[in-house]
Amino acid sequence: MNDTNRPTVEERYSSAINTSNMKVVLDRPNVADVIIAAGWSRAKFGTALMRLQSEWDGSEKPRSLAPAAVKVLANVFTREGVRDGKVVFKDAKSVVHLLPPAEAAKRQAHEWHMHELGVLFQKLKTLSEVRALMAEYAWLRNFQDPHTKAAAVISWWLHHTCTVCGGGKWEVIPGTNRHSNRACSSCKGSGDAQIPYEWEGRRMLSEIEKSLNQARCSMGAATSNKSREAP
């Protein structure tokens, strides 16, 4: 809701696509008008983004492992064998690392969380459409490997909380749920994960915001016109 307690275009659109009553009422604005306005909108990408955001907001997100659970995992790595204070850790790409047990546990917890997010992303019905439109935008601008970059940027747009500090901006004190007075080394105290692909990623994110704004304006104007015409 905005400051005047009136629902935003995104909130109205989210409500409309999840309603079971799509009956059009001729003499007053209703949820069906929002869907009709979306269909008339030239901002195809923007309306697809709205649908995807609604699906994401309505989904149950996987939680990161708590510090206590990561500590237990570190003990498991320790029991499996420590050599010169380090254990063998194989990451998701099958690359072998020699890491302290605590660091290996953090990486394992991070990879598990990213895997669960990936599973969730695949359940979002509009994701493939949005990725295809974003890839087309990247291809038209001669970005290398547009599909990979589109997928990464859309994933960041949906979920860009730093997975190291959990968005808290400060380093977590080992073995506790409390934050220290040191800025997170991963996000530099921003609370957000790093935008993928540098300037290309920022340009794609800028296009996302422009497309959303175009969809808001188009849909808002179409539905407000009917409101003014109603007796």
Side-chain angles (χ1 to χ4, degrees):
M1 292 286 185
N2 54 28
D3 294 337
T4 60
N5 292 323
R6 296 179 61 185
T8 63
V9 171
E10 286 95 335
E11 289 169 337
R12 291 162 64 193
Y13 187 58
S14 177
S15 176
I17 63 177
N18 289 295
T19 187
S20 59
N21 181 11
M22 291 300 297
K23 183 178 179 181
V24 176
V25 181
L26 297 179
D27 60 348
R28 65 178 184 275
N30 68 327
V31 293
D33 296 326
V34 180
I35 299 297
I36 294 171
W40 287 340
S41 174
R42 297 176 65 183
K44 181 179 179 181
F45 186 39
T47 53
L49 286 165
M50 284 186 181
R51 291 197 301 274
L52 180 60
Q53 183 69 68
S54 177
E55 292 169 9
W56 172 258
D57 290 343
S59 63
E60 185 175 353
K61 317 300 187 299
R63 294 185 179 182
S64 300
L65 288 182
V70 176
K71 187 175 181 180
V72 171
L73 186 57
N75 291 334
V76 172
F77 278 111
T78 301
R79 289 196 300 271
E80 290 180 349
V82 179
R83 298 177 183 177
D84 299 325
K86 295 183 179 180
V87 297
V88 176
F89 174 77
K90 183 182 290 187
D91 63 22
K93 297 181 179 179
S94 297
V95 177
V96 176
H97 306 269
L98 288 176
L99 301 170
E103 180 62 26
K106 286 182 180 179
R107 291 202 185 188
Q108 184 68 59
H110 171 73
E111 291 194 356
W112 173 84
H113 187 239
M114 296 306 295
H115 173 267
E116 292 301 303
L117 282 174
V119 172
L120 172 57
F121 288 150
Q122 296 307 314
K123 295 179 181 179
L124 303 176
K125 297 178 181 179
T126 314
L127 182 62
S128 59
E129 178 186 356
V130 170
R131 281 180 173 176
L133 291 169
M134 186 85 270
E136 181 180 358
Y137 171 87
W139 178 77
L140 289 171
R141 283 149 187 82
N142 296 318
F143 291 178
Q144 296 296 317
D145 202 0
H147 288 280
T148 298
K149 291 177 179 177
V153 170
I154 292 298
S155 296
W156 187 94
W157 175 69
L158 286 172
H159 181 78
H160 50 263
T161 301
C162 175
T163 55
V164 175
C165 66
K169 303 182 180 181
W170 307 97
E171 289 187 357
V172 177
I173 300 173
T176 73
N177 291 318
R178 301 193 305 274
H179 289 94
S180 68
N181 58 358
R182 297 176 58 183
C184 174
S185 58
S186 179
C187 67
K188 312 302 181 187
S190 69
D192 291 335
Q194 184 177 358
I195 296 174
Y197 300 109
E198 300 179 338
W199 71 270
E200 290 176 322
R202 291 192 293 273
R203 187 168 178 182
M204 285 189 279
L205 287 169
S206 176
E207 181 61 25
I208 286 174
E209 291 306 315
K210 290 178 181 178
S211 298
L212 281 170
N213 187 59
Q214 184 178 353
R216 293 186 195 109
C217 293
S218 178
M219 293 167 63
T223 55
S224 64
N225 285 341
K226 182 171 181 179
S227 178
R228 287 195 295 269
E229 292 170 1

